[in-house]
Amino acid sequence: MSEPNGRPPVEDEIKWLLQATTDLIDVLRVQRDFLRQHGMTLPPGSLNVLRSVQMDLENFSRQIINASVELSQLRALAETTALVNSSLDLNQVLNEVMDKVVALTGAERGYIVLRDEQTGQMEFRVARNLDRETIDEGGFIVSRTVVEEVAATGQPVVTTNAQSDPRFSHQQSVMLHALRSVLCVPLTVKGEVTGVVYADNRVRDGLFGEQELSLLVSFANQAAIAIENARLYRRVQITLSEVTEIKEMLDNVFTSIASGVITTDIYDTITTYNAAAERILALPHDRVLGHTLAEALPALYHPIADALARVYAQSARETIDMELNLRSRGKVSLNLKLTPLKDEDETQGIAIVVEDLTEIKRRDATLDMVRRYLPPTMIDNIQSIDGLGLGGERRVITVMFVEMRPFSSFPAHLSPQDLMAWLNLYLTAGAEVIHQNAGVIDKFMGNEIMVLFNTQLNPQEHHAWAAVNTALRLTETCLALADQLGEEAVPYYRIGMHTGVATLGNVGSATRRDFTAIGDSVNLAKRLQENAEQGQIIISEDTYRHCAEKLIEMESRLSISQHPAVQVRGRRQTTTVYEVRVAS
């Protein structure tokens, strides 16, 4: 192989000169011996000249040998520098550095000690021997004094025999391990000592000289940069791994949350668009990301453009309720929360959290419609009702039947539509009074209302008195309503109630069911209402017993009279009844 200029490699020329010198010395020796054997003498001074030439050639030969060794070391240094700079794996770089140090210096062992980035303490990272094998920690043989001195001063240390060197001979580690040749140089990056390279030999004296020191210092300068690059690369990898982990976690969070999340930069370009936003707005992310809000989501952007401007201008939050017509979903109800994304004090974008209220609004609308037909107690306890299943529970309740006003009492001139309107006025007024007293309206039956007290939905300790009190309020309401309608305040109502055991629960099918009460107690309450005269509140003896204490307390305001026992349809035994009215 030739040099770039076409000449043979320098080491080949050195080898040739070395061989030529050796041959010339041999020739001179032969010629001298030949002359002596034939009794011939050389001219005066010739032998000295030959001896001088021989000495010069031998010196030149040694210089050539030294130059060859130095050249080999320099070439190995160049190769090693390229090698350690070709990898960013810290452990690989450290091992290669140490193996080359041992090879270049002829050391028995070599160590690399690095300063820990967290604690600042010097720690052994690599320990290698001549066979390129890792030395176990228990086998470490090193002068810690030398290591600490180089790390502290940043100056290299070389000694040909540490045991006779006054700087180190008294050190325990030197005596204990019989250290002789020691070479230690700092690893320096930007003027800061980041570690040291240490090599030694326990057998040979004078192994390391100025040439090895200079060589190792040059090598350490390159190795320090390679090690620092590898450490930097490792830090970058750790940081990247942490960032990736955080991003994956945020992606999982964005994916799992039910709310849509959209973020934009200062140019209104969409940078984040999670799965919930795709579902709510019915647009895939590839048609949204990288586009402006106005381009990708014009139906969303235009109604909130002014709010976006306020968020940028005032760095304030905005909340907007809106309805959109989406091609694939139809009309949707959305709640948008706009929040500035700040870098220190400057707004760099906006986060838009989108809540889909469509189903909630539809459910509320349905419940509003249902409330027109069901009492509030049933709406509020809808889950409890559903949990009852099909079947029932026997419990003591008070059942009340109310005829608000007989059809025959309405003015004859009313049209069917007007008659329905008047009837609904009475039923509405009656329902409000019942709900105010925690009664459950079982059903409307034309001009009548069936009411339950002490159901599973509204347990009441004094349910009999609650029913009596409701009846009294209903009488006041009916008379007041007649006055509002411009009629004479005639008590047309008829009310009957009974307290007893009934079976309460859901009846119907799996798709259509009603909450109701059945049993003899229900039938008796209905019969008492049928036997009442207009303007009467009739209660059974059982109802009277359940609220007797309260009725006695109110005797100054109420009139309670016992009626003769009645025989109601469907019952063989007679029933003792009482009439309750407001005292006149």
Side-chain angles (χ1 to χ4, degrees):
M1 181 176 178
S2 299
E3 299 286 355
N5 58 10
R7 297 178 57 187
V10 175
E11 57 266 35
D12 290 346
E13 293 186 2
I14 293 175
K15 289 180 181 179
W16 180 84
L17 287 173
L18 178 60
Q19 186 61 46
T21 302
T22 303
D23 292 344
L24 183 58
I25 291 174
D26 291 342
V27 169
L28 289 174
R29 286 174 177 171
V30 170
Q31 289 179 349
R32 184 191 61 185
D33 293 340
F34 177 79
L35 291 174
R36 285 177 177 176
Q37 290 176 1
H38 291 77
M40 299 177 64
T41 60
L42 294 173
S46 298
L47 185 60
N48 291 335
V49 171
L50 286 175
R51 288 176 178 170
S52 176
V53 170
Q54 183 182 20
M55 291 177 61
D56 289 342
L57 289 175
E58 288 176 351
N59 289 335
F60 181 58
S61 175
R62 283 193 295 270
Q63 291 176 8
I64 290 175
I65 292 172
N66 292 336
S68 178
V69 171
E70 185 175 355
L71 181 62
S72 297
Q73 291 176 331
L74 291 173
R75 189 177 295 277
L77 175 61
E79 292 175 352
T80 303
T81 301
L83 179 63
V84 298
N85 284 299
S86 66
S87 175
L88 289 173
D89 181 272
L90 181 60
N91 291 329
Q92 180 181 348
V93 168
L94 293 176
N95 286 330
E96 289 175 350
V97 166
M98 199 68 263
D99 288 342
K100 287 300 179 182
V101 167
V102 172
L104 288 172
T105 61
E108 184 182 4
R109 291 172 307 278
Y111 305 87
I112 291 181
V113 187
L114 296 181
R115 192 179 303 279
D116 185 271
E117 295 177 288
Q118 302 298 324
T119 64
Q121 300 298 316
M122 302 297 287
E123 296 181 352
F124 285 86
R125 291 298 305 272
V126 174
R128 307 279 280 183
N129 59 23
L130 274 171
D131 298 324
R132 298 194 173 194
E133 295 174 343
T134 298
I135 303 173
D136 293 334
E137 186 173 354
F140 284 5
I141 300 174
V142 61
S143 172
R144 296 184 181 272
T145 303
V146 173
V147 170
E148 291 171 359
E149 178 179 329
V150 173
T153 65
Q155 298 298 317
V157 167
V158 60
T159 177
T160 56
N161 192 331
Q163 295 189 61
S164 60
D165 192 321
R167 295 175 298 172
F168 311 113
S169 58
H170 62 284
Q171 298 297 331
Q172 183 178 0
S173 58
V174 172
M175 294 184 293
L176 178 65
H177 302 307
L179 298 178
R180 295 184 181 277
S181 298
V182 175
L183 180 59
C184 186
V185 299
L187 293 169
T188 306
V189 177
K190 297 180 180 179
E192 181 181 352
V193 177
T194 60
V196 300
V197 178
Y198 174 95
D200 67 19
N201 193 298
R202 292 177 297 173
V203 178
R204 295 177 56 187
D205 292 343
L207 180 63
F208 308 130
E210 290 300 321
Q211 181 177 334
E212 286 74 19
L213 176 62
S214 176
L215 179 68
L216 192 55
V217 167
S218 299
F219 176 73
N221 291 335
Q222 295 296 320
I225 296 173
I227 292 171
E228 185 63 20
N229 288 342
R231 295 175 83 170
L232 177 61
Y233 178 70
R234 185 173 182 180
R235 289 195 294 269
V236 170
Q237 281 186 314
I238 293 173
T239 302
L240 180 61
S241 176
E242 292 173 349
V243 170
T244 301
E245 185 177 347
I246 293 173
K247 183 181 182 302
E248 290 176 352
M249 180 185 69
L250 290 177
D251 288 343
N252 291 335
V253 170
F254 282 137
T255 301
S256 62
I257 61 178
S259 302
V261 178
I262 304 171
T263 61
T264 68
D265 59 17
I266 57 176
Y267 304 106
D268 279 343
T269 300
I270 298 172
T271 56
T272 301
Y273 185 76
N274 72 341
E278 289 187 79
R279 184 181 65 256
I280 293 170
L281 300 176
L283 273 178
H285 71 277
D286 55 356
R287 291 178 55 185
V288 174
L289 287 176
H291 298 277
T292 64
L293 276 172
E295 294 171 345
L297 302 167
L300 181 72
Y301 171 76
H302 294 298
I304 66 172
D306 292 341
L308 290 171
R310 288 194 298 272
V311 173
Y312 276 116
Q314 304 172 12
S315 293
R317 297 183 178 185
E318 292 275 342
T319 300
I320 301 172
D321 289 318
M322 62 188 307
E323 292 186 345
L324 295 179
N325 281 306
L326 301 178
R327 181 176 302 175
S328 58
R329 291 192 59 194
K331 186 177 181 180
V332 296
S333 298
L334 305 177
N335 172 267
L336 275 60
K337 293 181 176 64
L338 282 57
T339 306
L341 297 175
K342 293 186 176 182
D343 183 4
E344 295 183 352
D345 293 331
E346 294 188 7
T347 299
Q348 300 295 323
I350 292 180
I352 304 173
V353 178
V354 184
E355 301 284 354
D356 188 357
L357 305 180
T358 306
E359 291 304 318
I360 295 175
K361 291 289 183 70
R362 288 175 182 167
R363 185 185 64 193
D364 288 347
T366 301
L367 288 177
D368 287 341
M369 181 176 64
V370 170
R371 286 188 180 96
R372 302 175 188 175
Y373 299 94
L374 298 177
T377 306
M378 295 188 71
I379 297 297
D380 296 339
N381 294 279
I382 195 72
Q383 291 183 338
S384 299
I385 296 173
D386 187 63
L388 296 175
L390 293 175
E393 173 188 329
R394 287 178 61 80
R395 61 188 292 132
V396 176
I397 65 169
T398 297
V399 186
M400 180 173 69
F401 283 87
V402 182
E403 181 185 53
M404 296 297 293
R405 180 170 177 172
F407 284 109
S408 59
S409 68
F410 286 102
H413 66 274
L414 293 178
S415 66
Q417 291 82 358
D418 292 335
L419 176 60
M420 182 68 75
W422 280 47
L423 176 61
N424 284 335
L425 287 174
Y426 276 90
L427 295 177
T428 300
E432 290 177 356
V433 173
I434 293 166
H435 292 158
Q436 290 169 4
N437 288 273
V440 173
I441 296 177
D442 183 291
K443 59 178 68 68
F444 293 102
M445 302 175 295
N447 61 342
E448 298 179 5
I449 308 174
M450 175 180 171
V451 188
L452 307 176
F453 294 87
N454 195 38
T455 70
Q456 300 95 313
L457 308 179
N458 64 332
Q460 297 162 288
E461 182 179 0
H462 303 292
H463 51 91
W465 168 247
V468 171
N469 190 52
T470 301
L472 293 170
R473 299 291 176 267
L474 284 171
T475 64
E476 298 172 358
T477 298
C478 289
L479 295 175
L481 185 55
D483 185 61
Q484 293 175 16
L485 293 172
E487 292 189 303
E488 184 182 354
V490 178
Y492 292 115
Y493 53 83
R494 293 192 302 162
I495 302 174
M497 68 182 71
H498 172 64
T499 301
V501 176
T503 301
L504 292 86
N506 289 323
V507 295
S509 67
T511 57
R512 174 69 169 88
R513 61 183 66 180
D514 289 322
F515 181 79
T516 190
I518 59 174
D520 183 63
S521 294
V522 177
N523 296 334
L524 179 55
K526 175 59 178 169
R527 298 295 177 253
L528 294 180
Q529 180 260 323
E530 291 174 347
N531 280 271
E533 300 292 336
Q534 289 185 0
Q536 282 189 328
I537 301 173
I538 300 299
I539 67 174
S540 69
E541 186 177 18
D542 290 317
T543 300
Y544 178 83
R545 285 202 306 268
H546 273 81
C547 62
E549 183 177 343
K550 199 70 177 178
L551 290 172
I552 293 171
E553 288 179 11
M554 302 291 291
E555 62 181 357
S556 61
R557 298 174 53 190
L558 299 178
S559 173
I560 300 104
S561 58
Q562 182 177 352
H563 286 212
V566 297
Q567 180 74 50
V568 299
R569 183 163 51 91
R571 287 175 66 94
R572 298 179 62 181
Q573 69 273 28
T574 59
T575 303
T576 300
V577 296
Y578 295 80
E579 180 182 354
V580 179
R581 67 173 63 242
V582 177
S584 55

